[in-house]
Amino acid sequence: MTSKRPTIDDVARVSGVARVTVSRVLNGGPNVRDEVRARVMQAVEQLDYKVNPQARSLAGGASRLLAFVFASDPENDPNSYYESALELGALRACLALGYQVLVQNVPDQTPDYRKRVLDLITTQRCEGLILSPPYSDDVGLIQAVLAQGCKVVTVSPGGPGRGTTDGVGVDDEAGGYDLTRELLRLGHRRFGFIAGLEGHLSADRRLKGFWRALEERALGEADCVVLRGDFTFRSGTHLAPQLLDHPLKPTALVCANDDMAAGVLSAAHARGLSIPGDLSITGFDDAPVAAIVWPPLTTVHQPVKVLGQRAVELLVSRLNGVNSTPEPVFQQLKHAVVSRQTTGPA
Amino acid sequence: MTSKRPTIDDVARVSGVARVTVSRVLNGGPNVRDEVRARVMQAVEQLDYKVNPQARSLAGGASRLLAFVFASDPENDPNSYYESALELGALRACLALGYQVLVQNVPDQTPDYRKRVLDLITTQRCEGLILSPPYSDDVGLIQAVLAQGCKVVTVSPGGPGRGTTDGVGVDDEAGGYDLTRELLRLGHRRFGFIAGLEGHLSADRRLKGFWRALEERALGEADCVVLRGDFTFRSGTHLAPQLLDHPLKPTALVCANDDMAAGVLSAAHARGLSIPGDLSITGFDDAPVAAIVWPPLTTVHQPVKVLGQRAVELLVSRLNGVNSTPEPVFQQLKHAVVSRQTTGPA
DNA sequence: CCGGCAATTGGAAGCGCTTCCATGGAAGCG
DNA sequence: CGCTTCCATGGAAGCGCTTCCAATTGCCGG
């Protein structure tokens, strides 16, 4: 079909040097005269030569392969905005850096989830993993991966993941705090909170920030009903009634992400409540859905795509030794409260 | 760090056979006694041996690598539901089939988009491509890829892409038709239609089906205003006013996908219109957003995740020779009108 | 009982690249 | 001026696997 692709030997022949010299040029090695370097590059150009990554990794022992691991339940909706955006950012950074990223869906309910992640290293020869929640706080998993000689960067680690390896994320605690302050300013004093899945520690930090804001106003557990959802729209609609019918009569419902907030909003509509007149609702993430629902959702923006990008950059800087600080690096990006129209005076 | 991984030679030594025999067992080759096969498998088990895919592809000339190409504008939102779901389906099928898939975002406005797709083949040694719209109808691109000896499967080709290579999709024309019939049944006679981006032929087929249903009732161009959007929520909100203020006074707005329909819905809310009392709105895809907006959106369901899965299966069956029919195969999956609450009597 | 054929197994040769080590010449030093 | 040192380059080995071909065995009909 295709005439065979040119190999490094073809380049060597055309440019009149040894194969090893071509390899040096290609890898930016030292000790090559400029004149020779130029000659090789010209041959590369002329032949439209591309290195064979398989051969390179066989010989060099470096696969230049990363894996992005996410946990959504495969039987449900496709990856959420959060994961899609993370992935897109990672993809883009990889393109720029000459790495490839394998996207892997490893449901965390599966009993052998750890094995499946480790298999990425043994089977696919990945050199680095990007772990999203809840894996970003699974210290046992992270250490097992590290022990295999594979680098790890976590996205939105909530606590223990933080000290174990490099990570990126926003200050979720501050995000929750800022948002709650806003609600308090509007006069709300009775709250409902829909937290995220067990084990998603970064989402729990949002709740922590919420509590902190409440305490500053001498409010506490008696002033808020807390429920746990699973980050989906459906869990928002399912949980909303329990909050709305609670004797506490909350005036504001705070959700750990936008999808659940959208679910709550939908349930509120179904009851004929006026938003934000009868009830204020907030989300977290600033996913597209936040702008899509009616009325548009007040939420906390986090730059998810950039998070994905930075994660890869961090990982690659470890792999090529640019970054070799002994202690884990955590890159914290800025969040911002986005006040839209689901929040109003109590 | 890690003790070196076992190689095929280790397995050969442990099981007391030659390396080539191990290779045969691993690849399900014929002519190996059951006793030997068992012995080898046991050694594999014992050593926790995994083939090195890089070495295999170097030696065997098969990379077992596919690429999923999508076109969303990288500066905008992350991949839409349509693309995420496609990808997830593809990912899952690959896992089952022992292939890997590289996800590639190639914006189609970029002048060198064709080169970037072809580079996937030369640089990454992909053996098969999954092309989503609008690439699925870019015959020039498809043929260029095919000419490189790389297989192609298209998702939702709208016309020309169909005869060129294998594909999967639903009957978009029938989907548009069925939906419109429903609207006609409800008494609507004046329509607005927001079509998709130029070049997305499968989306245009939805419009074609719409016209067909109209013609059956002796309605035609005079009874509908057609605008083109770009599949985003924003384009729905932007375009809605032109439709709502049009002298034709449409009673139903039909959109080529759910995101745009959500945009229209939001714009309608902003004007204080009651849905579906004052206006009916429909989408297409049955993305999660269709159930999230208020009121939930009437739309046409298509099994996007399954589409991605089938695409990979089709591709792999070509690659391993299971399918070798000379003419292109098109696998058509079923669509279904989902009547929710944005449609009512005119 | 023997040539012949199929079933099983192994030896050897690479796939395209990098890494290790050797070579030759230019430059630096006392 | 003879020595070491550094730079630029090449030769050779080998990464872990598959594929091609040769060798060995067992069993058939004649």
Side-chain angles (χ1 to χ4, degrees), chain B residues 54 56 66 85 115 123 146 164 166 173 186 200 210:
Chain B
Q54 276 91 25
R56 166 180 278 173
L66 310 179
K115 182 177 174 322
T123 307
L146 254 19
T164 317
D166 295 346
E173 200 269 354
L186 287 166
H200 286 245
F210 170 80

Side-chain angles (χ1 to χ4, degrees), chain B residues 8 19 23 27 49 56 59:
Chain B
I8 195 173
R19 179 203 299 177
S23 174
N27 295 291
Y49 167 79
R56 166 180 278 173

Side-chain angles (χ1 to χ4, degrees), chain B residues 5-310:
Chain B
R5 299 240 80 222
T7 74
I8 195 173
D9 287 318
D10 296 322
V11 176
R13 196 170 331 106
V14 169
S15 51
V17 299
R19 179 203 299 177
V20 57
T21 302
V22 177
S23 174
R24 260 185 215 110
V25 172
L26 260 26
N27 295 291
N31 303 345
V32 181
R33 273 182 306 149
D34 286 349
E35 187 258 319
V36 173
R37 191 181 299 275
R39 197 141 41 91
V40 170
M41 290 311 282
Q42 192 201 320
V44 166
E45 199 75 24
Q46 177 189 330
L47 295 171
D48 186 34
Y49 167 79
K50 316 270 183 190
V51 297
N52 179 324
Q54 276 91 25
R56 166 180 278 173
S57 94
L58 218 210
S63 65
R64 286 175 164 262
L65 215 54
L66 310 179
F68 170 62
V69 181
F70 69 97
S72 348
D73 178 354
E75 287 326 310
N76 282 341
D77 285 335
N79 21 2
S80 64
Y81 160 76
Y82 182 78
E83 284 150 349
S84 306
L86 232 37
E87 178 189 325
L88 196 61
L91 243 36
R92 207 147 325 137
C94 278
L95 192 66
L97 294 167
Y99 276 71
Q100 281 301 326
V101 62
L102 256 29
V103 180
Q104 285 288 342
N105 169 229
V106 182
D108 67 338
Q109 315 90 313
T110 54
D112 64 336
Y113 80 93
R114 188 173 292 190
K115 182 177 174 322
R116 284 191 41 192
V117 173
L118 290 172
D119 274 359
L120 281 171
I121 310 169
T122 55
T123 307
Q124 303 300 333
R125 262 73 179 178
C126 288
E127 299 177 57
L129 296 194
I130 302 150
L131 259 30
S132 63
Y135 296 128
S136 38
D137 281 307
D138 187 333
V139 179
L141 175 66
I142 297 174
Q143 283 174 340
V145 173
L146 254 19
Q148 299 267 331
C150 178
K151 306 287 183 190
V152 178
V153 61
T154 59
V155 178
S156 302
R162 225 102 153 194
T164 317
T165 188
D166 295 346
V168 297
V170 299
D171 188 340
D172 288 281
E173 200 269 354
Y177 174 81
D178 294 347
L179 184 66
T180 310
R181 288 267 299 190
E182 176 67 13
L183 254 13
L184 288 164
R185 194 184 63 72
L186 287 166
H188 295 276
R189 293 296 178 270
R190 301 189 310 280
F191 300 89
F193 195 106
I194 303 190
L197 275 173
E198 196 90 44
H200 286 245
L201 267 38
S202 63
D204 283 349
R205 292 175 68 94
R206 296 168 192 174
L207 176 55
K208 209 171 285 176
F210 170 80
W211 285 129
R212 178 158 67 89
L214 254 55
E215 279 157 17
E216 286 185 1
R217 292 293 189 99
L219 297 171
E221 305 222 343
D223 307 294
C224 180
V225 202
V226 178
L227 259 36
R228 229 178 234 292
D230 67 359
F231 295 118
T232 63
F233 175 81
R234 287 183 63 83
S235 77
T237 56
H238 283 0
L239 262 20
Q242 295 179 49
L243 259 22
L244 295 172
D245 297 334
H246 194 276
L248 182 64
K249 293 274 164 221
T251 61
L253 265 31
V254 181
C255 306
N257 79 335
D258 288 341
D259 282 327
M260 294 195 294
V264 170
L265 184 59
S266 170
H269 277 132
R271 291 193 169 207
L273 292 177
S274 135
I275 311 291
D278 300 331
L279 179 75
S280 286
I281 300 175
T282 65
F284 205 107
D285 282 350
D286 196 18
V289 68
I292 284 179
V293 292
W294 186 262
L297 195 64
T298 293
T299 186
V300 178
H301 177 81
Q302 61 169 332
V304 188
K305 223 159 45 177
V306 180
L307 248 31
Q309 220 165 301
R310 291 294 163 76

